[in-house]
Amino acid sequence: MSKNCTLEEIAALLLAQDKLVLCPHVSPDGDALGSTLALKMALEKAGKKVTVMVDDDVPKAFGFLPQIDCFVKPADGEVLEADLLVVLDASSLDRIGKVAQSVKAKAVANIDHHISNTQFADYLYLNTEAAATAEILCNLVEKLGIKLDKYLATCLYTGIYTDCGSFRYANTTPGTMRAAAKLLEYGARPNEISDALGTNTRANIEMLGKVLQTLAFYNDGKISTLEINSDLYDKDVNTDNFISFARYIEGVDVAVLFKAVEPAVTRVSMRSQDTDVAAIALSFGGGGHIRAAGCTVELPLEQAKAKVLEAIGKAL
Ligand code: AMP
Ligand code: MN
Ligand code: MN
């Protein structure tokens, strides 16, 4: 169980440390990277020594984020000592991969917005109403007494923009919009961020063409699926937005993307209109939000698909 903190308490905790390691979840998305970089910049302005670490490659699509090259990977056998490990946008310890073993911190803090949060940290700020961890950070930076600038604003806007589906998802609230508006005042450029994120590589579109051919429907069209099998899978191709093609189809409640990341390991992404997909993901050891969740199933794609479809069928 964590100590559930207010934002003021988290700010005071952060300011009381000298050396901090910040880390987001593996398979980092815009919110994970943007939140981590923004907190790094804010804490450095407060005179702290900060390392940002992620147990994964940083997708090239986020190359436009300021200071993106600062991320280091945990190295086998090397231990980094710190006063505090701050885990961002991750709801359980397994979501940070090897960082959990590589950082020896006196305490762990977690800033998150996932309903599936497992209360693994010593100190937790959890706000499941926030559209993004970056929305929380927008308010936290103020509590830290740090002035926003265009670099912080760019990172935070990217986190918000990506997690609320460009302000289209149900998690978009007046608070989300207010945070985004403030970030624009401090110099975030919405067109530049949207262009940077929306520009596809040729490989990306070529793969999309192949993946769309796998589109299938189940349970009277209430479930739609897309598949990336081992032959198609390429870790260097960003497939984050593929699932939206399965999601926005008349009559579809739950859209699922199955990705064979290894012959017997399948990554599953789910999006829904009504059904609680966080609960389904949680039952497979994953997590997420009611309308956007994911899990990794240690089975070949076809077997993983059969199990997940059965679980969704029951939940509809
Ligand atoms: P994705 O489908 O990967 O875009 O993820 C959708 C949401 O579910 C995001 O908020 C992720 O952080 C979360 N999520 C995805 N995979 C997992 C997992 N294995 N465990 C916990 N949360 C996850
Ligand atoms: Mn995330
Ligand atoms: Mn998030």
Side-chain angles (χ1 to χ4, degrees):
M1 252 338 233
S2 306
K3 171 177 164 35
N4 281 281
C5 300
T6 63
L7 214 47
E8 286 80 6
E9 286 171 330
I10 288 288
L13 176 72
L14 295 172
L15 291 174
Q17 318 299 323
D18 290 322
K19 195 174 167 201
L20 302 99
V21 179
L22 315 182
C23 94
H25 61 78
V26 293
S27 307
D29 51 25
D31 189 28
L33 296 169
S35 297
T36 305
L37 288 174
L39 187 57
K40 171 188 187 285
M41 292 176 207
L43 290 172
E44 282 177 347
K45 284 191 186 202
K48 308 296 173 189
K49 196 167 180 312
V50 186
T51 304
V52 288
M53 190 180 267
V54 62
D55 185 16
D56 220 327
D57 295 329
V58 172
K60 288 196 186 77
F62 296 108
F64 70 94
L65 285 176
Q67 300 204 21
I68 192 76
D69 295 333
C70 291
F71 276 100
V72 294
K73 277 190 189 177
D76 280 336
E78 266 178 45
V79 172
L80 184 61
E81 301 212 355
D83 299 318
L84 189 69
L85 171 65
V86 187
V87 177
L88 295 126
D89 198 39
S91 53
S92 56
L93 201 57
D94 59 295
R95 289 283 282 161
I96 64 169
K98 283 191 238 144
V99 175
Q101 291 85 51
S102 289
V103 176
K104 201 163 152 251
K106 291 176 195 144
V108 180
N110 180 205
I111 303 171
D112 187 31
H113 68 128
H114 291 92
I115 198 157
S116 56
N117 191 284
T118 57
Q119 307 249 338
F120 67 90
D122 301 307
Y123 302 94
L124 171 65
Y125 179 82
L126 177 66
N127 180 356
T128 59
E129 304 287 302
T133 300
E135 185 182 324
I136 298 171
L137 281 216
C138 208
N139 299 317
L140 177 60
V141 167
E142 201 171 290
K143 305 273 185 222
L144 288 170
I146 299 297
K147 207 166 147 33
L148 285 166
D149 60 31
K150 76 168 184 220
Y151 304 109
L152 270 154
T154 299
C155 291
L156 292 176
Y157 185 91
T158 299
I160 293 174
Y161 180 79
T162 49
D163 257 26
C164 69
S166 325
F167 307 100
R168 287 171 301 149
Y169 297 165
N171 59 0
T172 307
T173 66
T176 314
M177 292 292 203
R178 272 193 287 270
K182 187 160 100 180
L183 297 170
L184 295 194
E185 281 168 3
Y186 280 94
R189 295 263 179 270
N191 58 318
E192 288 173 16
I193 294 168
S194 156
D195 286 355
L197 291 166
T199 303
N200 294 291
T201 60
R202 286 189 194 186
N204 187 253
I205 295 297
E206 280 160 12
M207 187 184 292
L208 175 64
K210 291 177 191 154
V211 172
L212 285 178
Q213 291 170 32
T214 71
L215 181 66
F217 297 92
Y218 299 87
N219 298 54
D220 300 324
K222 292 197 188 74
I223 306 174
S224 61
T225 62
L226 288 171
E227 292 175 30
I228 303 174
N229 64 24
S230 303
D231 294 340
L232 271 184
Y233 178 67
D234 179 344
K235 71 170 180 48
D236 294 324
V237 177
N238 179 6
T239 59
D240 282 356
N241 68 338
F242 286 15
I243 195 164
S244 64
F245 290 91
R247 176 192 161 121
Y248 294 105
I249 299 175
E250 256 182 282
V252 170
D253 176 4
V254 181
V256 199
L257 174 76
F258 297 96
K259 197 188 265 195
V261 293
E262 283 174 40
V265 180
T266 306
R267 184 121 80 225
V268 182
S269 286
M270 292 181 273
R271 300 290 183 273
S272 82
Q273 301 290 352
D274 291 315
T275 301
D276 180 355
V277 287
I280 299 168
L282 208 54
S283 74
F284 287 95
H289 311 281
I290 289 170
R291 291 188 173 86
C295 54
T296 299
V297 183
E298 308 243 328
L299 286 172
L301 193 149
E302 281 307 319
Q303 289 172 41
K305 184 175 174 183
K307 291 217 160 168
V308 170
L309 284 180
E310 193 192 343
I312 298 171
K314 283 187 192 148
L316 284 176

